[in-house]
Amino acid sequence: MFQNNLKTIVRGYFRNGSFTILNLLSLVIGLFVANIAFDYIRYEFSFDKFHENADKLYRLAWNYRSQDYSIVMFENGSDSSKQITQIEALKTILGVENAAQFITSEALEYIEHENKRIQEKDFLTTNTPAAFVEMFTWKLRGGSFQDFGNGSNKAILTASTAEKLFGKNGLDDPSIFSKTIKIGNENYALSAIMDDVPANSHIPFNVVLNKKKIDYWGSRIYVQVAENLDYKAVQDNINASISLINSKIKSDPLYKSHFLQAITDIHLKSNILYEMKPPGKSMYITLIGLFAVFILFITLFNYANLSLAIQSKKSKTIGVRKVLGAQNLTIFMQLALEGVLLSLIALPIAAALKSLLRPIFNNMMGTAISKSLTDSPEDPLFLLASAVLIGFMAGVTPALYLCSKKILHLFKEDIKQTQFQFFPIRKYLIVNQFVILLGITCVSYFISKQIEFIEKKNLGFQKEGIVYAYSSIDKQDLFQEKLRQLPEITSVGNGSMFGINSFNKMTYKLPDKSEVFDDAQQLYLDYEALKIYQLETSLDKSKMDANGEQPVITLINRTAAEKLAKVQGKPVDEIVGTTVITEPEYIAEDGKVGIPFTVAGIFEDINLFSLHEKIEPYFITISPKLRMDGRSIIAYNPAQTEQVLAKISSIYSELNESVPLELSFLNDNIAALHKQDSQTADLLFYFNLVAVLLAAIGIIGITLFMVVARKKEIGIRKILGASPFAIIKTTINEYVYFIGIALLISYPLAYYSINKWLSNFAYHIDIQHFVMVSIGLAAFLVTAILVGIIAFRAAQANPVESLRSE
């Protein structure tokens, strides 16, 4: 029985070859999109789950002022014994089985071994090495994690870093673990080589260093909670015992509490200060998932529409089978099997397409989804399961419809039914197709326009032709002196970097007011940097360009000025000269409260951070002798970028610095702030193109069938004098009705989705309602062209030949 059904299905495929190809193409595209979207969503939800103790690992974070920090402050950062005491005290708290602390650095360093030297970044330094290798699961390639956990000044290299230093053959040489490597100015014994850190780890590093002391004001602390113990109870225990960990913090009025974050939640459910990697965004995952589902729906609608059209020609055959005793279930299974079989034929094509395009997808989205089916054993199973499910769902609609019809109706010669153009279910499917198409096109359009708005927005400062270069503090003046001699460089300054992620805010108040604010960002620049950024200020430019001694002053932005003016009840222009006390919680030994400054001027608002964040009060202290961590701010002619970089490198090499030259461009920093936004916009744009392609396939297919079904009618109309234009108009008219209804349904849904997405930005475009109508008109125009071409070819046919056909 099954073999006969299979033969019947295959014959049907060949008998209706054009429609089979269109259905097959739809299923290939639908399977590919569904699987690539599933891979992406699975990847985003997989972060840090590879650790064996993932369900027991938590990050210790804290709330200070009104912000949450992923870095925990030391009681005394300069005392290495205090750092260890902090961790040991944490381990004594009920429910804490183990604890590790470390810091991370993205700064470039030299790694040297014998006569070879390489540059590397992303260093992780821990003073709890044993806990670090015990709590987290890293794959060992060679050496010993246990050795790393004992003693100090030891190192672990990832495989990629080790290969750069020792070569490919060096990874298999056990003698390298008795070698010493030099990092910066310190020597380390190489303890182990591990696999590269999985891309779905929120802790990125290339090198792990074991040191007695962490040279930083705070650390990242992770704890392992006891089995079957609620982490909230452990969190309460930590807060109750905080004086054991940091006795000073308990009395700090700005301190709120510590809290635990599950390590598997950090990527998607955390966005606090100083994250090691940009966290994922649940809304973007939802959008990508919905686009994929909607594309899958269009695939199913295409199949259902074309299958119903094909099966309507075979209604008498189904009627005969019912008369001969065939059960509805038997007919249903055969029709459903047609969808499953065609989907299984589409499967290897979709799988090949997936393997081919997955590297491109990874590059575009910044993911590390495995590039071949064999890398992920569950992939083939999912592909097969999805193919069967999608094929079955595709075949369900025509199967249910035809099985539900009575035998007499199957035999009844109803021209409207035979021609198929008046099937309510067909209209329902086509309208739904257009609802989805118009909806996701509108969403994709406005997302793309928001990205364009971000790229073109005036941020309030110069962003082109500015590069940051880093040198040692000792040689910074000499480095800058040599840079200023280059004709391609227009200016060199010092100070804060722009286009960055938000950092800790500071408190401030007015002397005669009790209210303390905690929303200000403090920046530092020298006078040259102020000119490089081209900030618009109320300062007298002649004083800024003065060659004599320039004073240390503080400017506040327009937002801060308006806020302070409102508190004082005076005009904004009169705020200059006002005294502001920062960090009023700090009281000096002489009883002086806070750190006061006098407002010397106002600068116009700038978008220092991403456009997701609202502009808040910014204070900029201008100091002529400012130096910041060896950073030089260099302004140059963007048309001469290559020459400038080459000359900067040449000058730097003459300094014989112990660290590599590190450069970063301001416009690249700004682009990085919206990298996820741009990646998602690009993916949704491509998904939208796929949806348009699928809709076009469906429209072409159903129009071809309708024209074939109406062949005699078209022939008769031509004999009676109908022009080709009249025939084309009749064929197109129905789609006006379809798209009109679809626009009314999709409009509010698209508006809600777009508004929801744009609300994530503090600064965004407005929703232009005429655009949605324009998209509807464009959809009709494209549809009319596709349908018109097919109808025109039918109208050009010889009417005599049309009347002869059966």
Side-chain angles (χ1 to χ4, degrees), residues 360-380:
I360 299 173
F361 180 88
N362 281 336
N363 185 56
M364 182 178 75
M365 297 301 294
T367 55
I369 300 167
S370 59
K371 296 177 177 60
S372 68
L373 296 178
T374 55
D375 290 341
S376 300
E378 67 273 15
D379 265 16

Side-chain angles (χ1 to χ4, degrees), residues 453-463 605-607:
F453 167 78
I454 291 169
E455 292 171 350
K456 293 182 178 180
K457 187 179 188 304
N458 180 5
L459 302 179
F461 58 86
Q462 174 65 22
K463 61 181 181 179
D605 283 336
I606 61 174
N607 290 104

Side-chain angles (χ1 to χ4, degrees), residues 220-394:
R220 304 182 186 278
I221 296 180
Y222 289 74
V223 300
Q224 183 172 322
V225 172
E227 189 79 37
N228 300 323
L229 193 64
D230 183 9
Y231 81 94
K232 290 186 178 179
V234 179
Q235 179 178 286
D236 292 340
N237 293 340
I238 291 172
N239 282 311
S241 308
I242 199 63
S243 58
L244 296 174
I245 304 169
N246 190 330
S247 58
K248 289 183 180 179
I249 200 72
K250 190 70 176 176
S251 58
D252 192 328
L254 301 180
Y255 168 71
K256 304 295 191 301
S257 66
H258 281 70
F259 58 95
L260 294 177
Q261 295 176 296
I263 191 172
T264 53
D265 287 345
I266 290 173
H267 180 62
L268 288 178
K269 297 181 181 179
S270 174
N271 188 14
I272 62 180
L273 289 181
Y274 309 119
E275 294 282 10
M276 288 175 279
K277 265 187 177 182
K281 295 182 180 180
S282 298
M283 171 171 280
Y284 289 177
I285 294 173
T286 302
L287 265 176
I288 290 169
L290 286 174
F291 265 59
V293 168
F294 291 148
I295 286 171
L296 192 56
F297 278 153
I298 293 177
T299 299
L300 298 177
F301 293 156
N302 272 359
Y303 185 93
N305 241 332
L306 292 176
S307 295
L308 276 171
I310 296 166
Q311 297 297 344
S312 68
K313 296 194 297 181
K314 300 190 293 185
S315 60
K316 289 183 180 181
T317 303
I318 295 171
V320 170
R321 291 185 62 191
K322 281 192 173 186
V323 169
L324 296 176
Q327 299 295 315
N328 279 338
L329 180 61
T330 304
I331 297 171
F332 173 87
M333 290 307 296
Q334 180 187 329
L335 296 177
L337 183 61
E338 285 191 26
V340 172
L341 182 59
L342 194 61
S343 186
L344 290 175
I345 295 171
L347 177 60
I349 306 173
L353 191 63
K354 181 179 174 183
S355 294
L356 181 66
L357 296 181
R358 190 151 40 180
I360 299 173
F361 180 88
N362 281 336
N363 185 56
M364 182 178 75
M365 297 301 294
T367 55
I369 300 167
S370 59
K371 296 177 177 60
S372 68
L373 296 178
T374 55
D375 290 341
S376 300
E378 67 273 15
D379 265 16
L381 292 176
F382 179 78
L383 267 171
L384 180 62
S386 61
V388 172
L389 179 62
I390 291 170
F392 181 78
M393 290 171 63

Side-chain angles (χ1 to χ4, degrees), residues 84-93 241 244-246:
I84 294 297
T85 302
Q86 172 176 280
I87 288 295
E88 294 304 321
L90 188 59
K91 290 181 182 179
T92 65
I93 294 174
S241 308
L244 296 174
I245 304 169
N246 190 330

Side-chain angles (χ1 to χ4, degrees), residues 390-406:
I390 291 170
F392 181 78
M393 290 171 63
V396 160
T397 300
L400 286 175
Y401 180 79
L402 291 169
C403 288
S404 66
K405 293 184 72 65
K406 295 180 181 179

Side-chain angles (χ1 to χ4, degrees), residues 460-466 498 531-535 638 666:
F461 58 86
Q462 174 65 22
K463 61 181 181 179
E464 300 294 335
I466 296 177
F498 284 11
K531 288 187 284 186
I532 288 172
Y533 285 130
Q534 299 181 19
L535 300 186
L666 175 54

